[in-house]
Amino acid sequence: MIAVAANEAGKLWGGRFQGGLAPETFALSVSTAVDWRLALYDLSQTKAYAAELTRLGVIKPVQAEAIERAIGQMQEQIASGAIVPAATDEDVHSVIERELVARVGEFGSLVRTGRSRNDQVATDFRLYCRGAAREIAGQLANLVAALIAQANKHVDSVMPGYTHLQRAQPVSLAQVLGRHVISFLRDGVRLQAAEASADELPLGSAALAGSGFDLDVNRLAGLLGFSKVASNSVDAVTSRDFAVDLAYANAMIGVHLSQLAEDIILWVSAEFGFAKLDDAFSTGSSIMPQKKNPDVAELARGKSAGLIGDLTSLLVLLKGLPSAYNRDLQEDKQAVFSGVDSLLVTLPAMSGLVRTLEFDVPAMAAHAGANHSLATELADWFVGAGVSFANAHAVTGRLVQRAESRGKDVTGLTAADLEGALEPDMPRATEVAKALAKFSAKSAVAARKTPSGTSASSVRAQLAASEMALRDLQAFASPA
Ligand code: ARG
């Protein structure tokens, strides 16, 4: 056997090069600071791959035993932090091979036979993304559960509903909370799709053309928990669609967290006064002793910038690449890792914030019907009395104007206020005044009974459907 090339330990190439690498080149290309988190995946992959090479007779049974033992030991040592990259290691794959060779001797590098770092890194990264999708889903499910628990307490709590951030029509607080639930549940479906898109084994594709060894890739897929194998080796080493899918799911979670954060930031302001933050999920000011700030929500809103940026970075990284592996692809990991990290701190904090939020039901109710937000009730009532909606809308608008000029809410108009404002073919002022006196935020909410509407019965059904979907998300996050 020819001795392993006269390289420094852990160097995976070099035979055709003269002299050493410029320190500047090494400094640019080293990736251990980022990709070390793939170490355990790289090790499981190497274990499965060694088993396959043993089956093919490339690795002898006695060598296989030593390799397996060393890998078991390395698993523990990586987990405990006893193995870390050396300053001279180029990437996670170099560390794993160097450590393996250090334990078993030169034949440790047989695990590279017929495999390239191109299919190797794609395999590691897919394993990582699959795990990350489930981990994020678990935290997302906790947030959804916290929102549903709050919503269930507030099906009958009426609050002002806004469009353009102007009071529009009263709604149930549970429905607004349930709206966030539904957004996050859609994100959960996106996470599942991202996990499924990563579920395809690239191993066997080698550098780009496929491996020259007769690997049983289906067996390898089984060992590594993949349900499919790559169908095109060039695609397998080029494609990062799975990473984009996860980054997209993450970015959407960021957008939805940001929207939820914005609602909460408004609600806890003195101007709205709809909710109070728990001390444990708010922060103070270093100069203003009275302050209690919604920093958790603001950080969630802020983190969404990075999550959106990660998706954009990945897409831009990929768009100009010619077929097969290009070193640009080394930059793919940071974008995904940083998004995953940021969600894994943001989601638990937002769950706690939501769980401990205390709503001021009377304060919300007091404003729910104000600022003419029952005007639509009046227009609808006119329609019930035989007026076309266009005319009903026009006359109600005039009545709002009249109410405003008299410093009243439209529902406060008396028969005397209404004199002269109604067309001859419309109900009489006394009838209109009687109807107006009966309108309330509660009745307006109760009247909206379409399945997507804000009535208590509709909202209860919406929440029940969300609870079912939550169970699917929880099952995805922690498969039995
Ligand atoms: N560190 C590289 C990456 O993350 C591994 C693959 C390197 N392949 C190569 N032919 N240089 O993409």
Side-chain angles (χ1 to χ4, degrees), residues 10 19 83 102 143 154 160 169 179 183 210 236 295 341 380 401 434 446:
I83 295 179
L143 173 59
H154 290 290
Q169 290 178 327
R179 169 265 133 157
S183 301
D295 290 32
D341 289 347
D380 287 355
Q401 197 181 43
K434 223 200 272 169

Side-chain angles (χ1 to χ4, degrees), residues 31 35 90-91 93 117-118 121 325 327 329-330 333:
S31 60
D35 64 20
E90 183 181 322
D91 56 22
H93 322 293
R117 280 182 294 166
N118 299 353
V121 74
Y325 182 84
R327 192 63 178 269
L329 287 175
Q330 182 162 293
K333 285 165 228 63

Side-chain angles (χ1 to χ4, degrees), residues 1 12 42-54 58-59 63-64 66-68 70-71 74 93-101 104-117 119-120 203 211 213 215 220:
M1 191 190 192
L12 301 182
D42 205 67
L43 202 62
S44 338
Q45 178 190 158
T46 298
K47 184 175 171 181
Y49 195 72
E52 183 57 13
L53 290 179
T54 307
V58 175
I59 296 178
Q63 297 173 325
I67 289 174
E68 208 184 312
I71 287 178
M74 285 168 67
H93 322 293
S94 328
V95 187
I96 299 297
E97 192 173 316
R98 175 176 58 70
E99 291 283 345
L100 186 58
V101 169
V104 302
E106 277 172 10
F107 67 79
S109 60
L110 285 172
V111 297
R112 204 201 302 165
T113 316
R115 182 167 67 146
S116 155
R117 280 182 294 166
D119 59 347
Q120 192 174 347
L203 218 49
S211 179
F213 293 80
L215 300 167
L220 275 170

